Amino acid sequence: MNNENNDIKNKLKIMINVFFETLTFIITLFLISCFLIAFQRELIKVLFFCLNINIIANFKNNIEIELGKKEAYILIAVSFIILIFFVYSFGYFEVSTNFTKL
């Protein structure tokens, strides 16, 4: 009985961790996508693209540790579908491409 409770608690902790990690991943991808759209014709777009790849790789590695390789790819695909729906439905934040000195 005690082992069953510990297993349920561990699975619940993993699911909560994966949920919040996925939510953070989607929000971060949305913000980086806004910068990629804004700096479409600037050289700094390369920096945001590299950052985007790094975030995707880190998310994949973290989910692989928690759930497994197959589930990581499924979560990445679902996250991108949610991101596309979010950008299509609500649009994106406009980011100024002018750099100003503080």
Side-chain angles (χ1 to χ4, degrees), residues 13-75:
K13 285 180 184 179
I14 289 172
M15 289 302 135
I16 290 172
N17 186 28
V18 167
F19 172 76
F20 283 109
E21 192 155 342
T22 305
L23 184 65
T24 304
F25 176 68
I26 292 170
I27 292 170
T28 306
L29 275 183
F30 175 71
L31 293 174
I32 291 175
S33 297
C34 294
F35 278 92
L36 283 170
I37 292 169
F39 291 104
Q40 202 166 21
R41 298 182 183 177
E42 303 289 331
L43 189 58
I44 198 168
K45 180 182 179 179
V46 175
L47 174 72
F48 290 116
F49 186 73
C50 292
L51 181 65
N52 198 16
I53 291 172
N54 187 25
I55 289 172
I56 293 169
N58 284 337
F59 177 72
K60 181 185 150 297
N61 289 336
N62 291 340
I63 297 302
E64 277 183 0
I65 291 169
E66 296 286 336
L67 299 177
K69 195 171 195 174
K70 181 179 176 183
E71 290 82 2
Y73 286 115
I74 291 171
L75 268 177

